[in-house]
Amino acid sequence: MLDNHLHRFCGGRYQRAVETVTIRVSGMSAEVQRELYRCMKCNDEQRTVEQRELAERAAVDRIRAEHALLLPKEIRQLRESIGVTPAQLGELLYGTPRGIVEGWERGRYLQNRETDALLRSLRDRETLERRAAKAGVTLPTPADAAPAAVPDSTAP
Ligand SMILES: [Zn+2]
């Protein structure tokens, strides 16, 4: 985009370069390569939004793999298996805003380790029901739930 672009200030030209940066996300960090444009004459550096976002994505991917955090699609699947909306899942996670939950599911944000553990804990029905009761979230009846056993009083 800026490659070979004229730097009007000094008359030099920008060229693609790469730097190694440490990016922090949700209290964790990763070292990644980030592309930038550097003026060959005065060393002025420019980073496009796209370059920053690519590096942030790479950092998120690396951190997620390193800490074995749930993938975006795994979070969505977990939520769908519970049968709640992003807003309700946020309520189950101590009032996490809906936009954050949606960001996790789109891979835009990264849950920290504590939240990841909380999310996983909701796979346990008992834990889920306890959380739901405390958070005031009404859970749908599991579709596959067996009907409650009714004692047969007419049995001999
Ligand atoms: Zn320059």
Side-chain angles (χ1 to χ4, degrees), residues 1-8 11-16 37-40 46:
M1 188 205 251
L2 273 173
D3 213 19
N4 208 35
H5 195 276
L6 174 70
H7 185 202
R8 291 181 186 279
R13 295 266 168 193
Y14 283 102
Q15 278 190 11
R16 214 179 283 263
Y37 291 102
R38 185 178 288 130
C39 174
M40 292 297 103
Q46 298 291 334

Side-chain angles (χ1 to χ4, degrees), residues 17-31:
V18 171
E19 61 186 346
T20 301
V21 286
T22 300
I23 296 181
R24 293 185 63 80
V25 184
S26 305
M28 298 163 283
S29 65
E31 218 176 61

Side-chain angles (χ1 to χ4, degrees), residues 7 10 12 39 41-44:
H7 185 202
C10 77
C39 174
K41 195 171 173 187
C42 75
N43 284 330
D44 179 58

Side-chain angles (χ1 to χ4, degrees), residues 57-148:
R57 292 254 163 167
V60 163
D61 287 347
R62 182 162 298 184
I63 291 168
R64 186 185 286 118
E66 242 168 55
H67 296 279
L69 302 175
L70 290 168
L71 297 168
K73 69 162 189 264
E74 290 177 317
I75 296 177
R76 198 192 67 237
Q77 284 164 359
L78 172 65
R79 177 177 63 72
E80 287 172 352
S81 74
I82 296 171
V84 294
T85 64
Q88 288 174 316
L89 181 58
E91 288 302 310
L92 292 174
L93 300 169
Y94 304 97
T96 300
R98 189 199 68 197
I100 301 288
V101 173
E102 290 171 341
W104 295 335
E105 294 187 358
R106 290 185 191 135
R108 183 117 190 92
Y109 302 134
L110 184 64
Q111 70 279 13
N112 63 26
R113 279 165 287 190
E114 190 189 14
T115 303
D116 197 78
L118 263 173
L119 278 163
R120 288 168 192 272
S121 75
L122 298 179
R123 285 172 172 163
D124 175 61
R125 189 72 202 176
E126 235 176 76
T127 306
L128 171 63
E129 285 175 0
R130 203 166 51 235
R131 277 270 68 233
K134 276 188 188 160
V137 172
T138 308
L139 297 172
T141 314
D144 59 347

